[in-house]
Amino acid sequence: MLGTALAGCGDMGRFQTAAAPPAVAMPKPKPAVAQTPATEKEHERILASYGGAYDDPRLESLVTKTVDRLVAASDRPDQGYRVTILNSGAVNAFALPNGQLYVTRGLLALASDTSELSSVLSHEMAHVLSKHAAMREDQARQAAIVTRVVTDMSNDPDLTALALAKTKLTMASFSRNQEFEADGIGVGISAKAHFDPYGAARFLSAMERNAELKAGKTSSLDPRAQDFTSSHPATPERVQNAQTIARQYVAPEGGERDRESYLAAIDNLVYGEDPSEGFVRGRRFLHPKLGFTFQAPDNFTLDNTAQAVIGVRDGGSQAMRFDVVRVPAEQSLGDYLNSGWMEGVEKASTEDITINGFPAASATAKGDQWQFKVYALRFGSDVYRFIFAARQKSTESERNARETVNSFRRLTLDEIQAARPLRIKVITVQPGDTVESLSHRMAGVDHPAERFRVLNGLDRTAQVKVRDRVKIVAD
């Protein structure tokens, strides 16, 4: 662009006597988003809980253009909006009452075209316009008081155990009526902006199928893994309702989907967890930036949350938490375990040990409902803490704790270099390609064939066509 501009200015002498161009009307400035200390604080809290902002100018441009087009078509073009893309693999979007909108890169990866993105953004705008977001903020404020008490690693070991299963950012749910109202307003705004209004029904269906794929995982433990469906249930009634509303505007296939430019914008988008923050692969947690790894026991599901790595055994009878704590260099790890940060620690059980060459200490603790095994391990200048909780102490729970801690080790240089993020790659279907053959090219995902179908908006029997552009997950 710069080269073209300079070339155009290269021979200005010939135009010195030309008449001045007519004045061009300046575009109206966009409505501002009102910022208060409270909204700034909430913004920072959301960024901290969802992995920060995701920096991608091409994607930001697409999202901003989509919002501008929706605002112009809405009944309140004076309402300002500011959109932040969150660096989270969760499928989520939400709004603050002042018009601050949030959309995760996980949601952008799931959507198949700009009309589906517009359906999410217009839905969130509808919550702002209808004052739903303000009502929800009041609920969330009350819930946050309870959550803060529960998630604090307090002196009550039973609350500590509860914190193992409750470490999440509370976003209070909208009521069923509020969701239907926001769907109605949102579909209308999308249609008036000349987007395909059926994008809402398609994306609600995609979210429902995505949630089914995640069923059985403990994703609700992590604010970054809380899906749109947690606070916006994607029920069959909502899909049907969105279709009914869309029919009032255009016939199916009548609106603009803008698929090609959308796919171009999300090509190379980071998919799933960002390795720079540490990531889970199966039962293993790896943190290439900090240079360590460990493996959870059989039948445990790991989640990398903003505050800790949480593990829960199938059935919920055992849980674990791994986090980093501040311990002065001069304080022994045994003294730290006995320092009172957790009640119920049996001081006589405290033992100084070595784990794979790293200084460590262990202790047991008891609560009314849970039995604990706690480890502190010094790795470089940091101290990491493993907390294992079991409903009942058993040979298995003891072994699980011991084997997990003993698996903690340094990553090799090769492992660190190999720890690249998964990304969305947009490819063209070639002759002979099938859903099955393309899904075999997917890396690092479970249920690859179904995941491929969900990512590409294909139902359970649809096949790909030659020259179609499709998304796969690659490393």
Side-chain angles (χ1 to χ4, degrees), residues 251-362:
E253 309 300 327
E256 182 186 326
R257 292 195 183 185
D258 194 25
R259 181 173 164 81
E260 286 305 311
S261 60
Y262 185 82
L263 291 179
I266 66 165
D267 191 21
N268 212 40
L269 174 70
V270 171
Y271 181 84
E273 293 176 286
D274 186 338
S276 67
E277 297 296 318
F279 63 100
V280 173
R281 285 285 185 272
R283 291 185 291 116
R284 181 169 291 284
F285 176 73
L286 305 95
H287 205 308
K289 198 171 177 182
L290 299 177
F292 67 80
T293 182
F294 67 84
Q295 183 164 304
D298 287 335
N299 302 315
F300 266 65
T301 302
L302 280 185
D303 273 291
N304 180 27
T305 79
Q307 299 82 15
V309 180
I310 305 292
V312 179
R313 191 187 190 283
D314 294 350
S317 62
Q318 295 177 41
M320 63 166 283
R321 175 185 175 109
F322 171 84
D323 58 16
V324 64
V325 288
R326 287 195 183 96
V327 179
E330 62 275 11
Q331 184 178 23
S332 78
L333 296 178
D335 285 347
Y336 164 71
L337 292 182
N338 290 325
S339 64
W341 63 271
M342 182 179 188
E343 275 187 1
V345 173
E346 298 173 328
K347 293 191 176 183
S349 71
T350 306
E351 186 182 1
D352 289 318
I353 56 176
T354 301
I355 294 169
N356 290 332
F358 305 114
S362 67

Side-chain angles (χ1 to χ4, degrees), residues 201-277:
R202 288 197 308 276
F203 192 66
L204 283 167
S205 298
M207 285 195 306
E208 201 168 20
R209 291 172 65 195
N210 188 62
E212 286 170 11
L213 274 178
K214 289 186 68 175
K217 291 191 176 182
T218 53
S219 57
S220 61
L221 296 169
D222 183 3
R224 297 174 302 176
Q226 274 195 295
D227 278 355
F228 195 70
T229 49
S230 306
S231 52
H232 310 65
T235 61
E237 292 86 356
R238 279 189 67 202
V239 176
Q240 186 63 51
N241 180 55
Q243 286 176 327
T244 301
I245 298 165
R247 284 192 201 103
Q248 298 171 15
Y249 293 96
V250 296
E253 309 300 327
E256 182 186 326
R257 292 195 183 185
D258 194 25
R259 181 173 164 81
E260 286 305 311
S261 60
Y262 185 82
L263 291 179
I266 66 165
D267 191 21
N268 212 40
L269 174 70
V270 171
Y271 181 84
E273 293 176 286
D274 186 338
S276 67
E277 297 296 318

Side-chain angles (χ1 to χ4, degrees), residues 49 51 61 94 121-122 168 173 180 299 413 437 441-442:
S49 298
S61 173
F94 42 90
L121 294 170
S122 60
K168 67 180 183 181
S173 297
F180 274 80
N299 302 315
L413 189 58
S437 69
R441 294 170 61 180
M442 302 262 279

